[in-house]
Every structure is written in C-alpha cells, then in structure tokens.
Amino acid sequence: ATALEWLQASRPAARGDWEAVLDVLGVAPLEALDHDPHALRALRDDVIATVREALGGRMDIVRVADRWTRDELPLRLRAVENCLTRLALEGGQGGRQGAEMRPGTHLSGADPDINIATALRLIDDVRELQRQMAATGLNKPLAVERHLWRLSGARATA
C-alpha cells in the first residue's frame, strides 16, 4: 500500500495503472518508475488472460510462446510468477487472503480450479525458466512452450 501511494504521488497521471505495474514487477516502486504504466497494465492483463486460458485448456500454446518470446519475455515471466503466487496465496478467495485452513487440496472460487501443490510447482517452473533464460543460450520459444504445456496441463492434474 505504501509503494502504491508513493507511485501515485510521484506520477499521478498513471493513477489507475500502478497496481497493475506492481502486479508485474512485485513491490519495486523505483523500478516501476522506469516503465510505462499503461504498457505494463496491458502486459499484465494479457498474462492473466493467458494463464486463465491455459488453465482452462483453451490456449494456442505455439502462437503464445512465439508472441511472448518476441515481446518482453522477462516481464511476462515475472507477471506469470506473480499471478500464480497470488492464486496460491488467495486460495481462490476472489481477492481475499486465504489464511484459514481449507479441507481440500484444491484452490476453489472464481479462478480456475487448481491443485495447490501443482500451483507451487508451476511457480518453481517459472523461476527455473527465468534462471535458464538469464544463464544460457536456451531455445526460448521451445522453453516457453514447455512451460505453457505444463501450465495448460495443470488443471488436468488437479
């Protein structure tokens, strides 16, 4: 909340977009000032829609992987990680923090039904992909496709 207030005071013209920027970057207000808030909002919305499509089994994986590797892949991977983390933390509670214990192993609610362990594995996969992208000459489209296939299959293993 403090970072959001500071960003809004620093650049009030982007008032409605700062929350989306922090969804992509995490709590990194100084880094946020270096980015176009409107562009990051669009990126965040695209990533959320793609994650929902993947978990719903309605995604053209090859097309998405190709598009992502040509446009802001590192930011997209950060947004995917943050989206999956939020999904796991909220427990499908529609934006409310899910601090109470639930009897089942699945996240339920308006977001796609996904096994908690699967969500955590997907977060680890994204982090590993980020490390590989930074350290090696990896075939990026193929690596992103692999991750998107795992994401798409997450609901089936739920």
Side-chain angles (χ1 to χ4, degrees), residues 4-12 15 18:
L4 195 56
E5 288 176 25
W6 182 80
L7 286 166
Q8 290 171 348
S10 297
R11 285 187 32 205
R15 181 172 223 80
W18 288 122

Side-chain angles (χ1 to χ4, degrees), residues 1 3 23 27 42 71 78-80 86 90 93 99 102 112-113 131 134 147 149-150 158:
D23 281 348
V27 182
D71 181 39
R78 284 174 76 176
V80 168
R86 188 172 42 262
E90 292 172 355
Q93 300 295 315
R102 291 179 300 280
D113 184 31
R131 279 190 291 277
H147 177 71
W149 277 110
R150 286 181 177 169

Side-chain angles (χ1 to χ4, degrees), residues 67-86:
R67 182 171 48 92
W68 278 21
T69 54
R70 283 191 266 126
D71 181 39
E72 300 288 355
L73 180 59
L75 287 175
R76 288 179 186 279
L77 292 177
R78 284 174 76 176
V80 168
E81 178 184 357
N82 289 332
C83 179
L84 291 170
T85 300
R86 188 172 42 262

Side-chain angles (χ1 to χ4, degrees), residues 23-109:
D23 281 348
V24 172
L25 300 176
V27 182
L30 293 175
E31 184 180 1
L33 288 176
D34 293 335
H35 291 277
D36 175 8
H38 304 296
L40 280 186
R41 180 185 196 95
L43 185 139
R44 191 259 339 236
D45 293 346
D46 178 58
V47 166
I48 289 172
T50 301
V51 167
R52 286 188 174 139
E53 287 174 8
L55 293 174
R58 303 177 310 273
M59 179 177 49
D60 181 347
I61 291 171
V62 175
R63 183 185 57 78
V64 170
D66 182 56
R67 182 171 48 92
W68 278 21
T69 54
R70 283 191 266 126
D71 181 39
E72 300 288 355
L73 180 59
L75 287 175
R76 288 179 186 279
L77 292 177
R78 284 174 76 176
V80 168
E81 178 184 357
N82 289 332
C83 179
L84 291 170
T85 300
R86 188 172 42 262
L87 193 71
L89 288 174
E90 292 172 355
Q93 300 295 315
R96 297 185 320 269
Q97 189 76 11
E100 78 280 355
M101 296 295 291
R102 291 179 300 280
T105 59
H106 290 76
L107 302 172
S108 59

